[in-house]
């Protein structure tokens, strides 16, 4: 491959493995919508998230008496993935129909990073936006110093690089493989100690051969070994994929792998599973990770779904098949039916919508004197944030790495993604595990001090 194509392929792979970057939603696991939602301004168990008011001042950059401009990052120009754009469209349409933020119209400004233009778009946002909400960029670490230099807070849907993960002036991003702890250790403990204990001595991993993704394998190796698992197979594959997955399948079989973790394009995983199935080799489990929570994977792997046991961790985010138990999920389905009937409710949408809710609720509480500091401080006081019920409770007043976590497991079936029997203890979640803290140094998040700023300067 030519160097330029290698770089593009490497970065594309990073997109696919970073915190569950999927295009299609797990709609097969959803229930029928209950009808068209009304814009009451309430969402789930949250009241008066949006509504009318008499705001009159132009209190901050991006804020006028009639509008609030909020930036939203997305690599849509490269990935063609509309998830964050769809979530922003649905939320702002619903919020504005309910009266906006104290009467101010909420305006979403798409910052299309096109994969490689993160810093350029961040500088644009620094000049124009009030806040950054509900988005993500695969190379988000490239813009974090500029964001902190201009004191621009963000409530992202997800984060991907260590430099940006848990950086200052950031809240609500949720679990990420780039954290200083392993947010999936509860799920992995369930796999190797409860659900499939015989697999603990025979875990395998396949990972894309790139500096960006290999670190994820290094982290999982450390965490799983500490949990008592034995890694019997650990292989890399070319970042551009392979034409024949037979050698990998044969190696998995010859090493008697019982549990497999796969980092990469879910379409590659589907091809690998087809080969394993044709060889009559069935694993106890395959961790397909959250980027497979979509119909595209179900279609690609349909000939193997009856044989291979694909599971994934939703990291405390309510799944679509929980609509009957979680009113917030049902309401989100209703809102998409009303404002984006052709859109898919994906894992990214579920994460993004929570970020928009956090911003709107916090901003509404600030009244006419809407400032960045007021919104950020209000959100920081949420000690049991659930996004109206879309996620397990999180204490936003404390660093996420210091908290116990929740997980919930989905299983791929011919009927769609369905909740596995993982013994939830808090609604549709299982809560109370402490994530494993890595011993190796995998980097640190960026702070205000790194750019010569302090929290007291946020206005």
């Amino acid at each position: 491959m030519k160097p330029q194509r290698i770089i593009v392929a490497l970065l594309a792979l990073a997109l696919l493995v970073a915190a569950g970057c999927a295009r299609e939603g797990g709609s097969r696991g959803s229930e029928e919508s209950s009808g068209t939602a009304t814009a009451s301004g309430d969402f789930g168990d949250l009241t008066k998230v949006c509504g009318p008011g008499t705001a009159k001042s132009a209190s901050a950059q991006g804020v006028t008496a009639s509008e609030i401009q909020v930036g939203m990052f997305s690599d849509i120009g490269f990935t063609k993935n509309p998830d964050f754009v769809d979530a922003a469209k649905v939320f702002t349409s619903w919020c504005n129909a309910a009266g906006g933020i104290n009467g101010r119209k909420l305006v979403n400004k798409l910052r299309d990073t096109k994969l490689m233009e993160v810093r350029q778009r961040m500088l644009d946002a620094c000049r124009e936006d009030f806040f950054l909400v509900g988005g993500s960029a695969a190379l988000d670490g490239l813009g974090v110093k500029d964001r902190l230099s201009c004191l621009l807070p963000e409530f992202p849907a997800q984060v991907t690089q260590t430099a940006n993960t848990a950086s200052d002036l950031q809240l609500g991003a949720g679990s990420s493989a780039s954290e200083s702890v392993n947010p999936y250790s509860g799920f992995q403990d369930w796999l190797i100690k409860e659900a499939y204990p015989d697999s603990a001595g025979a875990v395998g991993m396949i990972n894309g051969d790139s500096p960006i993704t290999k670190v994820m394998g290094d982290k999982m190796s450390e965490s799983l070994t500490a949990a008592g698992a034995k890694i019997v197979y650990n292989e890399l594959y070319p970042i551009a994929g392979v034409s024949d997955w037979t050698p990998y399948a044969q190696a998995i079989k010859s090493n008697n792998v019982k549990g497999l973790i796969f980092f990469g394009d879910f379409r590659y995983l589907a091809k690998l599973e087809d080969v394993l199935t044709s060889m009559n080799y069935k694993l106890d489990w395959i961790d397909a990770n959250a980027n497979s929570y979509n119909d595209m994977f179900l279609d690609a792997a349909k000939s193997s779904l009856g044989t291979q046991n694909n599971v994934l961790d939703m990291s405390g985010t309510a799944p679509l098949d929980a609509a009957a138990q979680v009113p917030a999920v049902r309401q989100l389905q209703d809102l998409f039916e009303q404002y984006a009937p052709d859109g898919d409710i994906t894992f990214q949408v579920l994460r993004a919508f929570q970020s928009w809710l956090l911003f709107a609720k916090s901003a509404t509480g600030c009244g006419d004197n809407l400032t960045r500091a007021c919104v950020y401080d209000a959100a920081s006081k949420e000690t049991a944030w659930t996004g109206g019920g879309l996620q397990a409770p999180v204490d936003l007043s404390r660093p996420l790495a210091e908290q116990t976590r929740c997980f919930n497991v989905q299983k791929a079936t011919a009927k769609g993604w369905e909740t596995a029997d993982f013994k939830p203890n808090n609604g549709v979640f299982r809560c109370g595990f402490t994530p494993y803290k890595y011993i190796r140094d995998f980097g640190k998040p960026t702070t205000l001090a790194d750019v010569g700023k302090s929290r007291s300067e946020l206005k």
Side-chain angles (χ1 to χ4, degrees):
M1 295 178 67
K2 295 181 179 180
Q4 185 176 11
R5 290 181 61 193
I6 291 176
I7 292 172
V8 171
L10 183 152
L11 295 175
L13 179 60
L15 280 168
L16 288 161
V17 300
C21 297
R23 164 60 185 93
E24 301 289 339
S27 57
R28 293 185 188 180
S30 66
E31 299 184 12
E32 291 297 323
S33 171
S34 62
T36 301
T38 57
S40 67
D42 299 340
F43 185 87
D45 59 16
L46 297 173
T47 59
K48 299 181 180 179
V49 175
C50 300
T54 57
K56 298 178 180 179
S57 66
S59 52
Q61 175 181 292
V63 178
T64 69
S66 59
E67 292 185 347
I68 306 169
Q69 178 170 301
V70 176
M72 191 273 297
F73 273 50
S74 171
D75 287 317
I76 188 170
F78 179 82
T79 64
K80 312 306 178 185
N81 182 340
D83 295 345
F84 300 128
V85 174
D86 286 348
K89 173 187 176 182
V90 172
F91 185 86
T92 55
S93 296
W94 166 74
C95 184
N96 290 334
I101 305 295
N102 294 317
R104 291 186 176 105
K105 180 182 178 182
L106 191 55
V107 177
N108 170 53
K109 178 67 175 180
L110 171 62
R111 300 297 181 186
D112 184 359
T113 47
K114 302 176 183 177
L115 189 64
M116 298 298 295
E117 298 180 9
V118 175
R119 192 172 182 211
Q120 295 95 313
R121 300 294 80 74
M122 187 62 74
L123 293 174
D124 292 341
C126 280
R127 287 190 294 267
E128 301 173 2
D129 298 338
F130 174 61
F131 236 84
L132 296 179
V133 180
S136 178
L139 302 179
D140 57 3
L142 299 178
V144 63
K145 287 187 176 181
D146 293 305
R147 180 178 66 80
L148 293 179
S149 293
C150 73
L151 299 170
L152 179 59
E154 69 169 354
F155 297 163
Q158 60 187 35
V159 289
T160 59
Q161 293 192 295
T162 300
N164 189 46
T165 301
S167 58
D168 281 348
L169 302 185
Q170 179 190 95
L171 289 174
S175 300
S176 170
S178 53
E179 291 185 65
S180 61
V181 297
N182 179 9
Y184 315 115
S185 52
F187 167 60
Q188 292 170 349
D189 283 349
W190 172 77
L191 284 172
I192 65 174
K193 296 178 181 180
E194 295 183 39
Y196 312 99
D198 291 343
S199 70
V203 175
M205 290 196 298
I206 296 182
N207 194 9
D209 188 6
S210 82
I212 297 175
T213 55
K214 283 167 65 176
V215 67
M216 298 179 186
D218 292 340
K219 285 183 170 182
M220 293 304 105
S221 293
E222 179 184 322
S223 178
L224 285 164
T225 301
K230 182 179 180 181
I231 309 297
V232 298
Y233 176 68
N234 192 349
E235 187 60 85
L236 300 174
Y237 68 86
I239 56 177
V242 298
S243 59
D244 184 6
W245 286 92
T246 301
Y248 297 87
Q250 290 174 335
I252 289 171
K253 183 176 182 179
S254 64
N255 284 281
N256 195 31
V257 175
K258 295 184 177 180
L260 178 68
I261 297 174
F262 186 90
F263 291 109
D265 189 328
F266 54 80
R267 285 160 290 216
Y268 295 163
L269 175 58
K271 291 179 179 179
L272 172 63
E273 291 187 21
D274 282 346
V275 178
L276 289 166
T277 300
S278 69
M279 294 168 52
N280 296 316
Y281 190 77
K282 178 181 180 180
L283 293 99
D284 289 351
W285 54 267
I286 297 175
D287 178 3
N289 66 68
N291 71 352
S292 297
Y293 186 66
N294 56 62
D295 283 350
M296 291 177 67
F297 174 75
L298 296 174
D299 288 338
K302 59 185 177 183
S303 60
S304 299
L305 292 179
T307 302
Q308 305 302 337
N309 180 26
N310 289 280
V311 290
L312 58 82
D313 180 12
M314 294 285 283
S315 302
T317 296
L320 297 178
D321 69 337
Q325 301 165 263
V326 183
V329 173
R330 174 58 58 82
Q331 187 174 353
L332 181 57
Q333 292 173 329
D334 290 343
L335 292 177
F336 260 71
E337 180 65 26
Q338 182 175 1
Y339 294 111
D342 295 327
D344 294 308
I345 302 177
T346 69
F347 182 80
Q348 287 76 13
V349 166
L350 290 164
R351 292 300 318 164
F353 216 80
Q354 296 168 46
S355 299
W356 282 104
L357 287 164
L358 179 63
F359 172 80
K361 181 178 184 295
S362 303
T364 293
C366 291
D368 184 44
N369 188 28
L370 183 61
T371 64
R372 290 173 173 175
C374 180
V375 174
Y376 189 83
D377 289 344
S380 300
K381 295 175 183 177
E382 296 283 353
T383 58
W385 175 252
T386 67
L390 291 178
Q391 71 173 51
V394 177
D395 185 352
L396 298 181
S397 70
R398 299 170 51 213
L400 188 60
E402 299 176 2
Q403 301 183 45
T404 56
R405 304 286 184 95
C406 303
F407 71 94
N408 51 307
V409 185
Q410 288 281 292
K411 178 178 180 177
T413 74
K415 296 179 181 179
W417 286 102
E418 298 178 352
T419 297
D421 182 16
F422 66 99
K423 298 179 176 58
N425 59 13
N426 185 356
V428 298
F429 312 111
R430 181 166 172 178
C431 299
F433 79 89
T434 300
Y436 172 81
K437 183 175 178 59
Y438 299 114
I439 296 175
R440 289 180 56 186
D441 183 4
F442 291 103
K444 297 180 180 179
T446 309
T447 67
L448 285 164
D450 291 333
V451 296
K453 297 288 184 178
S454 69
R455 175 64 179 79
S456 62
E457 295 179 76
L458 182 67
K459 304 299 182 182

